[in-house]
Amino acid sequence: NCSYFKHFTPGETSEIFEVTTQKEYSISAAAIAIFSVGFAIIGTICVLCSFRKKRDYLLKPASMFYTFAG
């Protein structure tokens, strides 16, 4: 069972260490990942529009979106 580590403390008086994840961290990590993917998609759209229509001024916003995605 991965939820406790009994082998660290031998004997009958061993304490059980439970591993639990906090729900708030999981929700915030998922939200940050979704925002990161969104910024990467917007940056890709800016780069593609810049190369297809010769609009070089879209490369600076694209680099900022990629920076925010990181």
Side-chain angles (χ1 to χ4, degrees):
N1 192 353
C2 294
S3 64
Y4 66 95
F5 301 99
K6 195 172 182 178
H7 59 276
F8 287 122
T9 56
E12 294 181 3
T13 61
S14 62
E15 296 180 7
I16 296 174
F17 300 102
E18 293 183 5
V19 178
T20 58
T21 57
Q22 295 180 0
K23 191 175 182 180
E24 294 86 14
Y25 290 148
S26 298
I27 292 173
S28 64
I32 290 171
I34 290 171
F35 283 125
S36 177
V37 169
F39 283 136
I41 290 172
I42 294 172
T44 303
I45 291 171
C46 287
V47 167
L48 291 176
C49 288
S50 172
F51 287 150
R52 286 185 185 171
K53 298 179 182 179
K54 301 294 182 188
R55 296 179 182 169
D56 291 337
Y57 59 88
L58 287 176
L59 291 177
K60 285 185 181 179
S63 68
M64 292 304 297
F65 284 126
Y66 284 132
T67 303
F68 293 151

